[in-house]
Amino acid sequence: MGGTNAYEGVYHNEKAVFLRAGAYEAVMLPDIGGNLIAFRDIEKGYRFLHEPTPEEMPAFKARPMIHGIPVLFPPNRYQDGRFRWNGIVHQLPVNEEATGHHLHGFLYNIPWVVDEYGHTGQEAYVTVSVRVDEQHPVFGHFPFRFRIQLRYGLSDQGLSKRVTIINAGQEAMPCLLAFHTSVNAPFAEGGNARDYRLKLTVGKRWELDGRMLPTGSHQELSANEQAMQGAGVYPFFESMDNHYTAVPQNGRNRMELTDEAEKVTLVYDVGTSYKQWMIWNNQATEGFFCPEPQINLVNAPNMDMPAEEIGCFSLEPDEIWEETSRLYVKVSRG
């Protein structure tokens, strides 16, 4: 199975852009948050991302958070929906009743524009974007003019992702971003989650209070969490909704998920601009979990801590922030 291709099609009755490169296939849903909903190895029967079934599509559209790679901007929780920026308090809608906070921003469920798609001899690609200005519905809550662009490329080296944020306004803006990446475990057809081992370049665990906000303190890592840093651990060893600093290993910030039966490892190399990790495993339910690379600490603009430590990046007018990531497969040793 060779060659590359990019074409418009339909995924569970939704408009989609399909990418093909050799045995790999990827699917983008521009109208549902620019979500890269599928990354598969057709020859081996691997489905690396948690995809919705046709029956799950209404629930997915209502809460498109635990399938594919949703874009969180700004990510995670903001206390009572408020965030401080340059002396002004902005108010985001409170959309998580249990905590009374704003959760996950406004890009994951709105339509994105397809800028282009195509293919070369080596790669199939799609680029989508959102432009926020005074005419955009979210400007009332997040009054910054900017453009965000996502480019996914598929080749024999797996799936590459490039995200670009451009400040098109007249003042500094916050650059707060994460990807709620939903990874299957098992990803092999007929696989057993017990055969899977998770590695993640976590550093310290942030202590969270009763409303799921960081206190600013750290907690000791358990033996299983230390195993995540090293040899790897069963991804569902306990219920996780945990927040960690990201500490690159060997120059890279990444997740590795190994199927020990198949002797293959899925690598999610996210780049070193992401200063934090979230990890959520659906109450330790086998099937999928979410390793989320995140620029900023949860609730970062409201924290009185050094901006660099908590990943509270700012973009001046006309400045560009960009980071690349890659999902790829390697054959395991041993």
Side-chain angles (χ1 to χ4, degrees), residues 134-152:
E134 288 82 353
Q135 280 70 53
H136 198 285
V138 307
F139 192 84
H141 303 299
F142 192 82
F144 301 96
R145 296 174 64 226
F146 68 98
R147 183 164 178 259
I148 180 168
Q149 187 178 66
L150 263 178
R151 182 191 189 275
Y152 283 99

Side-chain angles (χ1 to χ4, degrees), residues 5-269:
N5 199 9
Y7 55 94
E8 289 190 43
V10 176
Y11 177 94
H12 301 342
N13 295 319
E14 290 294 325
K15 184 179 84 174
V17 177
F18 286 75
L19 307 179
R20 294 293 298 271
Y24 287 133
E25 180 175 58
V27 186
M28 155 69 72
L29 299 180
D31 289 349
I32 308 179
N35 191 322
L36 196 289
I37 198 68
F39 172 41
R40 311 163 176 153
D41 184 322
I42 298 168
E43 287 183 354
K44 293 189 170 67
Y46 299 158
R47 290 185 176 233
F48 298 112
L49 299 178
H50 182 226
E51 301 179 40
T53 64
E55 296 73 30
E56 289 172 330
M57 285 301 283
F60 164 61
K61 286 191 276 190
R63 187 174 173 269
M65 202 54 61
I66 59 169
H67 297 91
I69 309 181
V71 183
L72 308 187
F73 186 99
N76 224 282
R77 294 178 175 87
Y78 298 84
Q79 185 173 1
D80 305 318
R82 297 193 301 267
F83 77 95
R84 302 195 311 254
W85 188 254
N86 286 348
I88 299 172
V89 177
H90 302 284
Q91 182 69 48
L92 294 165
V94 172
N95 60 1
E96 189 182 41
E97 287 184 21
T99 63
H101 302 319
H102 175 79
L103 179 68
H104 289 339
F106 44 76
L107 293 183
Y108 62 87
N109 60 355
I110 64 172
W112 290 51
V113 173
V114 178
D115 296 326
E116 64 171 344
Y117 61 87
H119 62 105
T120 67
Q122 292 187 317
E123 182 190 50
Y125 62 89
V126 60
T127 303
V128 295
S129 65
V130 170
R131 187 183 301 274
V132 172
D133 56 22
E134 288 82 353
Q135 280 70 53
H136 198 285
V138 307
F139 192 84
H141 303 299
F142 192 82
F144 301 96
R145 296 174 64 226
F146 68 98
R147 183 164 178 259
I148 180 168
Q149 187 178 66
L150 263 178
R151 182 191 189 275
Y152 283 99
L154 191 67
S155 72
D156 61 3
Q157 295 173 337
L159 182 73
S160 69
K161 175 177 67 185
R162 185 182 73 209
V163 56
T164 306
I165 299 173
I166 304 160
N167 185 350
Q170 303 300 312
E171 58 182 309
M173 66 170 279
C175 185
L176 309 167
L177 178 75
F179 290 94
H180 203 299
T181 314
S182 299
V183 175
N184 279 335
F187 55 71
E189 194 173 357
N192 186 337
R194 287 276 169 188
D195 292 330
Y196 280 67
R197 293 294 174 267
L198 165 68
K199 288 182 63 173
L200 197 63
T201 51
V202 297
K204 298 174 180 177
R205 179 172 172 175
W206 291 101
E207 180 183 63
L208 301 178
D209 66 17
R211 295 178 69 198
M212 295 301 290
L213 297 178
T215 64
S217 298
H218 296 119
Q219 295 174 308
E220 290 294 316
L221 296 185
S222 69
N224 281 318
E225 289 172 314
Q226 290 173 14
M228 272 199 305
Q229 295 175 313
V233 69
Y234 169 60
F236 308 101
F237 64 85
E238 66 184 21
S239 180
M240 284 193 285
D241 191 355
N242 301 346
H243 198 19
Y244 302 92
T245 63
V247 177
Q249 294 180 9
N250 200 21
R252 283 157 295 164
N253 192 22
R254 66 194 187 276
M255 178 217 75
E256 296 185 31
L257 181 65
T258 298
D259 182 322
E260 294 187 325
E262 293 277 316
K263 298 209 178 328
V264 66
T265 297
L266 175 69
V267 181
Y268 186 28
D269 188 334

